[in-house]
Each structure stands twice: as C-alpha cells, then as structure tokens.
Amino acid sequence: MTLQDFPITTKWPPRHPERLQLYSLPTPNGVKVSIMLEETGLPYEVHRVSFDNQDQLSPEFLSLNPNNKIPAILDPDGPGGKPLALFESGAILLYLAEKTGQCLPRDPAAKWQTVQWLMFQMGGVGPMFGQLGFFHKFAGKDWEDKRPRERYASESRRLLAVLDGHLAARAWMMGDEFTIADIAIFPWVNNLVGFYDAGDLVGFSGFANVQRVLEAFMNRPGVARGMKVPATR
C-alpha cells in the first residue's frame, strides 16, 4: 500500500510523498500537531483544509477522518513501514511522541502522568474553553440567557485554577521536561485569552503560574513556527 491508495491524496496530491502528510488549520487543535512536528523536526507536508470551502465534508477528507474534524495525518512510514492514517489530535500527539522518542517521558510513571494531563486537556480544557468562546465571542454572545456563558466561564476558571496550582513549582506540566501535555494545553490557553478575548471574563490575571508558562511556551521557536501552520492565505 502507498499514499496513492488513500482517496485523500486525490484532493491534496502530495508534493513530497516520502514525508508525513498533515491536513489541518491553525486552530488550537490543529496547531498541536504542527507544533509537535516543528519541535521534533520530523519532515512533513501540510495541506490546508478550508472550512470556507467545506473541505472537511468532502468525500476525500471523510475517507481519512469520518468525524470531519482537523487535524488528521497520513504517515507514509507508519508501523512496520506501512502508511498509517490517523485522526484526533491527542492520538496523533501520542503517536508522534512514540515515533520520534520525544516529548514523552521514558519513565513509565512519568509517561502515564503526562498522558493524564493530555486527557485533562481533551476532556476538560478543550471542550470548556471552546464552549466559552462560542458563548462569549460568536453567535452565543447574542443570547439573552447568559447562564450558559457563565457556566462555561466558571468551569474555565476552575480548570485554570487546577493548572495554576499544578504549575506553582514546575517549569512545565511535567516539571523540567517539555512534553505533549504542554503542547496540548497551552494553545488552548493562548486561544482563550487571545482569539476568544476572554481573559477578563475568567480572571486570567489571577493565574500567575499559567501566565508564566504560557509566555515561556509562546517564546519557543518550534511553537512560534507551528502556530502559523498552515499559513493563512
């Protein structure tokens, strides 16, 4: 089996079929994978999935991810040297960490503690921050009933407090080691106070440790590059 056997390559033909193929947008979930790829140095080729054109609903994209969400990857050099198609950002982070031997502790206990914080992002931070963004910035802001917004704002504050306490004596989520837990969490924190403009709503100024680590995260060269992938055009 080769990349040409995957229908998605008919819509987005690879120019470099020997490289990992990334299908994405620069959203909090999308940049998790591009940041990981930039941090690890794994060669990749990016394809923009345009929501404006409803690319995510095309038969070609659905053949790779039936859940019609970005990001997704197609790795020509998967397990056993065979191509591997994969979706869900958390699963992709775990796969790339194992593939490269980077951003995931080798110690078994530390590895599973990293995974728990990855799950914390996927089950809590992402859904709650995302819903708050809808009710604060997008169509939900026009609803007369403000209880949904306050529900998600309250839960977002609680999650930030959990992070702030955990980071009190740590440089990163796992201490001195930068991991996929950081790559999963901090694009969402950045989006919350940046794109969603919800910093005042959640009292972000009161979470000094989260602010400190977010600044360190955004100052990493690999993060800076990955945040812009794929480029807006």
Side-chain angles (χ1 to χ4, degrees):
M1 179 175 284
T2 66
L3 290 190
Q4 284 67 39
D5 295 312
F6 291 84
I8 195 166
T9 62
T10 62
K11 186 173 179 65
W12 290 280
R15 299 183 303 276
H16 304 281
E18 75 283 0
R19 300 180 187 177
L20 183 144
Q21 306 292 303
L22 169 64
Y23 307 87
S24 191
L25 279 176
T27 67
N29 282 332
V31 299
K32 291 180 196 175
V33 177
S34 51
I35 288 171
M36 181 66 175
L37 290 166
E38 291 291 338
E39 286 281 344
T40 59
L42 193 66
Y44 70 100
E45 179 178 352
V46 65
H47 305 279
R48 185 179 184 85
V49 181
S50 173
F51 287 179
D52 291 341
N53 298 329
Q54 294 193 320
D55 284 345
Q56 77 277 17
L57 300 177
S58 66
E60 294 87 354
F61 187 78
L62 291 172
S63 71
L64 184 65
N65 183 1
N67 195 35
N68 66 272
K69 303 292 184 182
I70 59 95
I73 65 168
L74 181 54
D75 185 0
D77 184 26
K82 298 178 181 179
L84 174 69
L86 204 60
F87 63 90
E88 282 297 328
S89 59
I92 296 171
L93 287 179
L94 285 168
Y95 170 70
L96 295 176
E98 290 202 357
K99 179 181 178 73
T100 63
Q102 300 181 54
C103 299
L104 187 65
R106 295 185 179 183
D107 173 74
K111 171 185 175 180
W112 286 110
Q113 288 166 352
T114 304
V115 172
Q116 85 179 346
W117 286 109
L118 173 64
M119 298 300 120
F120 172 83
Q121 183 278 308
M122 294 175 63
V125 168
M128 295 301 106
F129 287 13
Q131 292 290 349
L132 178 56
F134 172 80
F135 283 102
H136 181 61
K137 177 165 183 162
F138 298 109
K141 71 180 185 298
D142 298 324
W143 291 18
E144 292 184 11
D145 187 349
K146 299 305 179 186
R147 286 174 295 179
R149 190 188 77 157
E150 291 309 311
R151 166 72 179 94
Y152 292 117
S154 176
E155 182 63 5
S156 295
R157 289 186 206 105
R158 189 190 71 80
L159 293 168
L160 287 168
V162 172
L163 288 173
D164 203 65
H166 178 74
L167 292 167
R170 295 176 173 88
W172 301 106
M173 291 301 297
M174 289 303 298
D176 293 333
E177 186 174 357
F178 181 79
T179 69
I180 57 174
D182 303 292
I183 294 173
I185 290 169
F186 285 100
W188 274 104
V189 176
N190 180 66
N191 207 64
L192 179 71
V193 299
F195 183 65
Y196 290 161
D197 194 25
D200 290 342
L201 181 61
V202 299
F204 190 68
S205 61
F207 301 107
N209 297 312
V210 178
Q211 291 183 64
R212 167 180 53 82
V213 181
L214 174 61
E215 182 178 1
F217 180 81
M218 297 300 291
N219 284 334
R220 292 179 69 95
V223 170
R225 294 190 301 269
M227 291 288 289
K228 300 174 183 177
V229 174
T232 302
R233 57 181 187 185

